[in-house]
Amino acid sequence: MGNYAKTESTHYLQVALPTPLRRVFDYLPPKSGIDALSPGIRLKVPFGPRKLIGILIAITTKTDIPPCSLKHAEHVLDEQPIIPRDLLDLCRWVAHYYHHSLGETLSTAIPVALRQGKPVAQQTRKLWRLTYPAAEVPSNIARNAKLQLAAWQLLKQHLKGLHEPMLKSLGVSSQTLSALEKKGEVECILEELPTLHTMPQSILHEAPLTLNPEQAHVVQQIRQAAQQFQTFLLQGITGSGKTEVYLQLIEHTLKAGRQALVLIPEIGLTPQTLHRFEQRFAVPIVVIHSGLNDSERFLAWQKAIDYRAGIIIGTRSAVFTPLAKPGLIIIDEEHDASYKQQDSLRYSARDIAIYRARQTNIPIVLGSATPSLETIHNAKAHRYRHLRLNQRAGMAKPPSIELLNIRGETLQAGLSSALQQKITQHLEKDQQVLIFINRRGYAPTLLCHECGWAADCPDCDAHLTIHRQPAHLHCHHCDYQQPIPERCGRCNTASLFPVGAGTERIEDFLIGQFDPTPVIRIDRDSTRGKSRLQQLFKDIHQGEPAILVGTQMLAKGHHFPKVTLVAILDADSGLFSSDFRGLERLGQLITQVAGRAGRGTLAGEVVIQTHHPESPILNSLVTEGYDTFANTLLAEREKLGLPPYGYIGLFRVECKKHEEGEQLLLQLRELINQFLQHNNLNGPLGVTLLGPLPAPMEKRQNWYRWQMLVSSPARQPLHTAIAFAVHQLEGGNQMLVKLARKLRWSVDIDPQDMM
DNA sequence: AGCACGCCGACT
DNA sequence: GTCGGCGTGCTC
């Protein structure tokens, strides 16, 4: 390509920049020329008055901008693309699908270090060895320099050298080493980290478990698709051995010289999962979670892309990790809400993962005991292969589930007397009891008995939650805190009292009621600090009789073999949730916590307190199980045209002045409706608008929140309408742009909830 | 989103 | 006199 010099001026660089603007920007090639520029490299470019680091998307010969107003790219940061082709393509699709800026999408996808322009260094490890093996201690090491002498002696016994981490663990500090290096006695060699190509070791540390026939069948079915795209729904009841299936699938993937990407929910069981993986596999495993700092994240990313790790385990954002040799994707607990990002780029890691699997032509496994309705629907439509694990290892029978009528009952800290009796029975048999309540703190409301005033958050439409440890009022929506007042804020009488019960209050009550049985509370407050949660789990596993009280955290993942009674205190909040997914969530929760009851050899019992024991849907769940329950919900969703039968997007607006959000959405609605009419997309088979409506919690953190729902029985018209609307908001319509400037707006495709 | 520019009010 | 409030415009 020697004739670039001639045509140089007709080439333009399309660059994605970290700005919310949904377009790419064209630049002239840098002064250094266009050679060695390929999509995926980083460029430093002038952007208005500042300099930004962008990603080169494409090199074109056309531009919509008058070429005289184009600027030159200033700097080329990479020789090789740091964003591989398929990740770039993935991000383009994501940006397009979620109507988000490509530059910001790329920023979400890559480690912070990269978007800040840090150089990509070859990953190395340091090998230290003696410069020359002398028989005697060299004279330039002082006789009293004990540490240096020890280090020298050590290295003399290992003339091939020792790696720095090894030396550290043997008590040799880097100061000692650099002191010796200065004296010319030792030298440091930078070795490239080995890739899996050159790693001679075997893949496994320990032998795999023997699979039961069901598991074996599942493994075999998925292996048959080993080299091509196929989505599997692995629906396995709690305790049916899904993880072992994952492990064996990964083993086959590794043996084929490929990598596995495993996504787990956010509050996930990272330490346990990781432990099990590390026990099994001898290949390097990389874990990506919110606890990592920037450089650790960057390291993990590099290991994945350089084929230095065989298994990549991570939460939501790990779905963007590029793989050198992709072979398998696993989404554990695929129904979990934490796979959906709830701000900025509102993506679903599960859905992106499926797209990725298709793009790279590899199988993907969605595992869950309680699959989402979307996934069940796709399985029924034969877009996914539906595989099941119905056998519970070493378990006689599934737990019995009872809907306990609490209508007219006087509750003590949220517990009915019937439930208290059951607790006594189980404790007398030396067993453990698990109480589930999705509300932390002492009580959700501080109420005045005299005038009905309640302590509210000044910044949100919400009551303040009473906490006792330490004592204060706390808003769970914006983190506002204040001391507990002694007198009513309205009538000034001293008759304030807590209404309702959260985990702290229930803990208090149980301690008094079932003394001396220990009560272990597990919620976000009781598990602050690094190893608190692990310690509490350890206590539970001692197996002594105990009552566990907790939130969501208790519903996920962990096995408690001695728990035989599980109680759900506030099922009704799920029954009457303002959100259309409320019931689905409740069903998943009940099924998941029921899976916690009676593992091992002991029979389990589940009690669900409700004011509506006759509720047909709850009864169908209890007597016929999750599948039937899900079918009922699916039928309802179909009637209402809700997902998975209809596709929805949500415009969200936050504003400081109450009416401004509504105004913007009203204007937007007018424009969209005109557009729909012009394009024959109105009517029930086209696109329908609902709203603007205030969000379920209208004010939050001093922002008023409005939303407008856009829905359609087909994906394409929905997409078209939203693309049009976004374009208008972003500059197409002057009036709208003017309104939009005063507030914050965003689009949420496939919203999880309307909160 | 940033950032600059520009035009009005209350300060050492 | 000027420091700084935020409305407006622009980013290849």
Side-chain angles (χ1 to χ4, degrees), chain A residues 316 341-347:
Chain A
R316 182 176 63 233
Q341 173 136 39
Q342 293 291 17
D343 58 326
S344 63
L345 172 57
R346 294 171 174 265
Y347 66 95

Side-chain angles (χ1 to χ4, degrees), chain A residues 501-691:
Chain A
T503 45
E504 281 184 24
R505 190 177 204 172
I506 296 166
E507 178 190 27
D508 267 16
F509 171 75
L510 293 168
I511 288 173
Q513 196 77 358
F514 296 97
D515 183 64
T517 308
V519 178
I520 301 171
R521 174 164 64 93
I522 295 189
D523 55 32
R524 211 190 324 155
D525 307 308
S526 74
T527 56
R528 289 238 168 83
K530 263 201 161 170
S531 50
R532 276 295 279 149
L533 184 64
Q534 294 312 309
Q535 184 54 48
L536 291 174
F537 279 147
K538 227 185 204 167
D539 294 347
I540 299 168
H541 281 286
Q542 300 289 311
E544 296 300 311
I547 308 176
L548 328 178
V549 190
T551 57
Q552 291 281 10
M553 296 181 90
L554 271 179
K556 291 187 183 181
H558 222 84
H559 304 181
F560 306 117
K562 291 285 270 187
V563 169
T564 50
L565 173 65
V566 175
I568 294 176
L569 299 191
D570 65 339
D572 292 348
S573 63
L575 218 45
F576 298 103
S577 163
S578 63
D579 198 84
F580 74 93
R581 277 183 229 267
L583 262 177
E584 177 184 356
R585 294 262 163 69
L586 177 63
Q588 287 162 346
L589 174 71
I590 291 176
T591 312
Q592 297 271 345
V593 297
R596 308 268 153 270
R599 286 209 176 177
T601 49
L602 304 164
E605 191 176 354
V606 178
V607 172
I608 300 161
Q609 292 195 153
T610 173
H611 291 89
H612 300 272
E614 75 292 338
S615 151
I617 188 71
L618 274 187
N619 278 282
S620 110
L621 175 68
V622 167
T623 56
E624 291 162 278
Y626 185 77
D627 283 2
T628 311
F629 168 81
N631 284 338
T632 312
L633 291 191
L634 278 170
E636 251 166 56
R637 295 268 183 95
E638 186 168 21
K639 258 187 254 159
L640 298 170
L642 286 169
Y645 297 94
Y647 298 94
I648 59 177
L650 197 64
F651 277 96
R652 299 173 187 269
V653 172
E654 295 176 311
C655 53
K656 286 290 182 189
K657 287 190 189 144
H658 180 77
E659 339 69 45
E660 280 177 350
E662 187 182 23
Q663 270 166 30
L664 176 86
L665 287 177
L666 281 170
Q667 296 265 358
L668 188 63
R669 189 179 71 185
E670 278 314 298
L671 279 172
I672 298 177
N673 274 330
Q674 281 171 27
F675 172 80
L676 293 175
Q677 259 170 34
H678 272 111
N679 293 277
N680 280 324
L681 287 173
N682 50 345
L685 289 176
V687 177
T688 320
L689 301 181
L690 180 67

